[in-house]
Every structure is written in C-alpha cells, then in structure tokens.
Amino acid sequence: MIKEKYSFYQKKGNLRFILILFLFTGGYLFFFTSNAWMPAGSSANALTPPGQETEWNGRTVSVTRWDYCETSGTMEVELDIRNTSYDGRNIYEYSALEKLGGKLSVGVILEEEDWVILRITDLPKRWSEVSLRMDMKEQVENMGLLKLYTNVNDVNRVSSIEERDRDGYLKVRFETKIQTYQNTIENLQAEIQNLENEKQEIRRETARLQEGRQYQTLEQQRATDQAVAEAESKYKSAEAEIAQKQTEITEMNERIALTRKQMEEGN
C-alpha cells in the first residue's frame, strides 16, 4: 500500500516537472523567435523627425532627409550640422544599428563642415528600427554619442537611391528644404483653420449665454458673466495664436523664395 502511494506521488511529481519544463521551454522559444513571425513594424516607433534640431556637444544637428530603398536594402541620410562651439572639430565618425539585426555598414558619401550624406547598407529584409550614431573623430572626454532614429513605419520610401555628384546632391538638398517649408505651411494653415472654427464656436456659445441672461437670478448672472469673460479670453488667445502662425507662414514663404534663388544661382 505504501509503495503504491509512493509510486502515485512519484508519477504526479514527474508530470508536474514535465509540465513546468514544457511551459518554460515554450516561453523561451516564444521570446527568442517572436521576431521571426511578428510583423516587423508592430513595435517600431523610435523616430527623429526630419528638420528637428538636436543639441549635442556644442553642435546643432538635424536630419534633412532619411530615404530607404527596399529593393536594394539601402538608406541614404542627409544631415545638417552647425558647430556652435567653434572648436575646429568638424569631422565625425558614424555607425548604425538595426533593432533586430545588429550592426549595419555606414559609408560617407559627402562630408563638409555643415553638410553630410551617409549611405547605410546591409539592411535585413525584415527590419524594424535603425539607430544612426554620431561620434567625435577625435576622442574627447565626456562627449558621448548622438543617436538619431528612424523606423519601418515612418522612413521616407523611395524607388531607388541614385548616385549623384555634389551638384546633384545640392539640388536635392534645396528641393528637400523647399518641400519641408511647404509642409510646414500646410500644417500651419490647418492649425489656423482649427482656431478659426474654435472662434466661431466661442461666438455661438457667448451669444447663447447672453440670450438667457435676462431670465437668470443675480447669482446666475454672475456665473454667466464669468463664463462669458473666460470665453472672450479664449477668443483673444486664439486670435493671437492665429497671428503668430500667419507670421510663421510669412517666414516660411520667404525661406522658400530665398532657397529657390540660391538654387538658381547654384550656391
């Protein structure tokens, strides 16, 4: 009887061990193989938006464009760099990592003090996020890396990445700047329209409040007056914001005109 009970508990323990081992192994395989079957862009969101300025080691760096050709598995990245430290160090080292596949090859296509074009190659078919790293050519203590990002969902897709000379890249540079300014204008115009709609709603609401005021007690009228005053304050804020955005549109149009002039003169 004792042997039978022992055998029963022994079998029960073995089954429990097998179950735990099965769950552990299954979880392990899921963790390390999930990237093979999950959509590559399902968690890709790291992004340095084109035109966004990043301060780094006395330099202002921005991505002008980040193109990706799926056919060739190649990226081309254009950077604007302003060295506001005036330390004479204007040559940098570049490297790139892909979130799922590791290190990528980075080649310098064009490098000037304030303008750099890089070519990133060897991208896997199923890539998710790419981190471009920028470091000082001469090792300087406490400088650290600058990391710029794109992802499979937000990168600018192109049918091909062409070989160009400096003049060809300069033309693309100007065209990209103009397109960026035009996109900014479109966004500002949409924001202005939203503010104009908000102003109309404020006017309708204040008119409604004023119409009912004659049928209110003194206490209710004070509350209505407070609501109207707050609405008027929002109306004035909207007007001021519209004026500011219109000024920004004027600035963008001036930049477009000057960039086109520079493009025509080939400078």
Side-chain angles (χ1 to χ4, degrees):
M1 186 68 176
I2 294 173
K3 287 184 178 180
E4 289 177 358
K5 286 184 178 180
Y6 175 77
S7 178
F8 170 77
Y9 286 119
Q10 188 178 37
K11 289 179 180 178
K12 189 175 180 180
N14 289 339
L15 286 171
R16 186 178 299 163
F17 174 77
I18 293 170
L19 179 61
I20 292 171
L21 183 63
F22 174 78
L23 292 173
F24 176 80
T25 305
Y28 181 88
L29 290 173
F30 173 82
F31 179 81
F32 285 98
T33 65
S34 58
N35 288 331
W37 55 267
M38 287 180 68
S42 59
S43 62
N45 52 29
L47 177 67
T48 304
Q52 175 180 290
E53 295 185 341
T54 302
E55 300 298 324
W56 171 71
N57 295 334
R59 288 142 178 85
T60 303
V61 182
S62 62
V63 176
T64 305
R65 62 183 174 89
W66 197 319
D67 296 339
Y68 166 59
C69 175
E70 185 174 2
T71 305
S72 62
T74 304
M75 289 177 165
E76 194 167 82
V77 187
E78 183 174 341
L79 303 177
D80 272 348
I81 305 169
R82 292 201 314 272
N83 184 353
T84 54
S85 70
Y86 310 108
D87 58 7
R89 298 188 178 98
N90 297 307
I91 304 298
Y92 309 95
E93 290 183 343
Y94 302 94
S95 60
L97 292 177
E98 199 281 313
K99 184 178 180 181
L100 305 179
K103 192 173 182 180
L104 303 171
S105 298
V106 181
V108 178
I109 305 301
L110 185 150
E111 186 170 28
E112 298 182 2
E113 289 187 0
D114 60 349
W115 180 30
V116 174
I117 295 174
L118 306 171
R119 189 80 54 83
I120 302 175
T121 56
D122 301 333
L123 268 90
K125 288 290 183 183
R126 294 172 56 81
W127 66 278
S128 176
E129 295 174 352
V130 171
S131 168
L132 175 63
R133 283 95 187 283
M134 181 175 172
D135 198 2
M136 302 298 297
K137 187 79 171 178
E138 301 173 9
Q139 293 301 319
V140 181
E141 190 175 354
N142 298 324
M143 280 296 192
L145 289 172
L146 172 64
K147 298 178 182 179
L148 306 168
Y149 298 93
T150 194
N151 64 74
V152 70
N153 298 317
D154 295 301
V155 71
N156 182 49
R157 293 174 179 269
V158 296
S159 57
S160 63
I161 292 179
E162 301 176 17
E163 297 293 336
R164 296 181 173 90
D165 58 13
R166 186 184 184 279
D167 289 341
Y169 280 118
L170 195 59
K171 182 182 178 183
V172 173
R173 177 181 171 87
F174 290 142
E175 289 173 345
T176 302
K177 280 188 175 183
I178 290 170
Q179 186 59 57
T180 300
Y181 296 147
Q182 289 173 337
N183 292 343
T184 301
I185 289 172
E186 289 177 7
N187 291 335
L188 288 168
Q189 289 172 335
E191 290 170 6
I192 287 172
Q193 186 57 56
N194 289 336
L195 288 167
E196 291 289 359
N197 294 340
E198 182 182 331
K199 283 171 59 182
Q200 290 180 9
E201 289 300 320
I202 290 171
R203 279 288 174 250
R204 276 195 283 268
E205 179 62 15
T206 53
R208 186 189 66 79
L209 289 170
Q210 295 285 16
E211 285 175 5
R213 190 176 184 280
Q214 59 182 317
Y215 305 110
Q216 295 176 343
T217 65
L218 288 175
E219 184 65 29
Q220 289 173 319
Q221 287 178 357
R222 279 194 288 268
T224 296
D225 292 343
Q226 179 65 28
V228 169
E230 290 175 359
E232 288 295 337
S233 177
K234 288 182 179 179
Y235 188 92
K236 290 178 181 178
S237 293
E239 281 190 322
E241 198 170 344
I242 287 171
Q244 176 60 37
K245 292 183 185 302
Q246 287 171 336
T247 300
E248 291 176 26
I249 288 174
T250 300
E251 171 69 18
M252 291 300 109
N253 281 322
E254 289 178 1
R255 291 187 187 186
I256 288 172
L258 290 171
T259 303
R260 283 178 174 155
K261 181 180 179 182
Q262 190 178 7
M263 188 175 177
E264 289 170 2
E265 294 175 356
N267 295 323

